[in-house]
Amino acid sequence: MELRHLRYFIGVAEEENVSRAALKLHVSQPALSRQIRDLEDELGFFLLERSAKAVRLTEAGRTFLTEARAVLERTDEAVKAAREVVTGERGELRVGYAPSLTARILPPALRAFQAELPNVRVRLHDFSTEEMLAGLREGKLQIAFVVRLTPAMLRGLRFEELTRDAMCLAVAPKHPLAGRRAVNLEEVAREPLITYSRKDYPEAHEMLGAMFGAINRKPRIVEEHDSVSSLIAAVEAGTGVAVAPRSLSCTAGLRLKLIPFSPASAPLVIGAAWSKAGLTPAAERFLECAKETSSKLE
């Protein structure tokens, strides 16, 4: 039994006439009659009662008509659902992100994407940099938002810049530097520094090395943390200070004071990364939403 058998049967049942059904289905009358007989032979019972001028459904035929319509309807739904997955209009999109980097980009981009493609479920994964890179290479993530990394770290991946974020010094509200309008790196070099773990966020240590290398000093790191929430808590408690992007204020709120550097340090480049194999249609549209959002940032 094939789907065409069901379509032919439904056509004859609705027209109650083989000739009219044949015209509607664009098939010859003998061929249509043969297909219906083949279907009945396979089922082992009659679906139609035939007369010289018309056909009528048997009791079994009426039941089979209802079920045949349901089968074709479900088939059409399956094709439509599969096509929407291929075109990116349905399915699941797995996105990696770092909260402190994407606080200004991700929420509006997500709203725009979901308004356009409501049938795509977006799963957000708050991962470390190393976890995001592994997720992209293993196919567990379709796209991730990260800082610009070295070519070695981006092996097998593509990266596109979205925005840049000014670097600041994050301190507790009662820290001696909290009232300052700006600080310089010489002052920061004398402070105990809190940062992210080297294992999970190697790029953070590379950035600090470059910043303090410019003044021939080494950062005095006293603690390393594996998440932004624990880093904020440590700085708030007065354990030390942290070099962080301005967007950290979206996550920390009034818990920390962010002070600009003078002279200004090189900004943090934030962008999207994905496999060199290419973006899925849904991921490509999500990237476009992120670009549109980034273009509106000051």
Side-chain angles (χ1 to χ4, degrees):
M1 186 187 304
E2 300 178 12
L3 292 177
R4 60 187 172 86
H5 290 113
L6 301 183
R7 293 192 179 96
Y8 290 164
F9 165 69
I10 292 171
V12 172
E14 289 177 344
E15 293 295 327
E16 296 185 338
N17 182 280
V18 177
S19 298
R20 289 198 301 270
L23 288 172
K24 183 177 181 180
L25 294 168
H26 304 290
V27 63
S28 69
Q29 181 177 337
L32 180 56
S33 296
R34 186 172 60 253
Q35 294 290 336
I36 299 299
R37 285 197 301 269
D38 288 345
L39 176 59
E40 290 177 321
D41 288 343
E42 183 170 348
L43 293 173
F45 51 81
F46 289 112
L47 298 171
L48 302 169
E49 293 178 352
R50 296 160 175 84
S51 66
K53 296 183 179 180
V55 293
R56 295 178 58 187
L57 289 167
T58 64
E59 188 67 28
R62 282 191 287 272
T63 299
F64 192 77
L65 176 61
T66 300
E67 298 301 328
R69 284 170 170 162
V71 168
L72 290 186
E73 182 179 352
R74 186 67 188 91
T75 301
D76 290 342
E77 290 173 355
V79 172
K80 180 182 177 183
R83 184 176 289 115
E84 287 176 345
V85 170
V86 171
T87 58
E89 299 173 32
R90 181 184 294 271
E92 183 176 87
L93 177 64
R94 297 181 297 277
V95 179
Y97 76 108
S100 59
L101 300 178
T102 58
R104 296 193 300 160
I105 299 175
L106 193 56
L110 183 59
R111 284 195 298 271
F113 178 83
Q114 290 181 327
E116 185 174 335
L117 297 174
N119 291 326
V120 178
R121 179 188 178 193
V122 180
R123 294 186 61 183
L124 299 177
H125 298 272
D126 178 358
F127 284 165
S128 69
T129 302
E130 286 297 307
E131 288 173 327
M132 283 192 276
L133 296 178
L136 291 172
R137 293 191 177 102
E138 295 168 6
K140 296 178 181 178
L141 297 176
Q142 278 89 54
I143 191 170
F145 295 96
V146 297
V147 300
R148 183 165 60 192
L149 305 168
T150 64
M153 293 181 71
L154 286 172
R155 174 183 48 82
L157 304 174
R158 298 189 184 278
F159 176 84
E160 182 170 344
E161 178 180 334
L162 293 174
T163 188
R164 298 189 173 198
D165 207 349
M167 298 305 294
C168 301
L169 183 69
V171 302
K174 294 184 179 180
H175 190 279
L177 294 174
R180 296 279 295 276
R181 289 178 174 266
V183 294
N184 59 56
L185 284 176
E186 292 285 354
E187 294 173 296
V188 179
R190 296 191 289 269
E191 296 288 331
L193 198 63
I194 298 171
T195 188
Y196 296 107
S197 69
R198 185 182 295 273
K199 176 184 176 183
D200 295 323
Y201 300 90
E203 76 284 359
H205 290 260
E206 290 187 6
M207 178 198 67
L208 289 175
M211 287 179 64
F212 288 93
I215 61 171
N216 295 316
R217 299 288 294 273
K218 287 186 177 181
R220 189 158 64 92
I221 298 174
V222 295
E223 281 188 7
E224 295 185 5
H225 291 263
D226 60 3
S227 71
V228 65
S229 57
S230 61
L231 181 140
I232 291 173
V235 174
E236 183 182 23
T239 305
V241 301
V243 175
R246 180 180 55 180
S247 56
L248 181 68
S249 62
C250 299
T251 306
L254 299 177
R255 297 172 62 187
L256 302 181
K257 177 70 182 298
L258 269 67
I259 311 166
F261 285 113
S262 181
S265 298
L268 194 65
V269 178
I270 303 167
W274 64 91
S275 170
K276 281 187 176 179
L279 289 163
T280 63
E284 186 170 0
R285 186 57 202 140
F286 198 92
L287 176 60
E288 290 303 316
C289 290
K291 288 181 184 178
E292 293 166 11
T293 296
S294 300
S295 68
K296 299 174 183 177
L297 298 178
E298 58 179 1

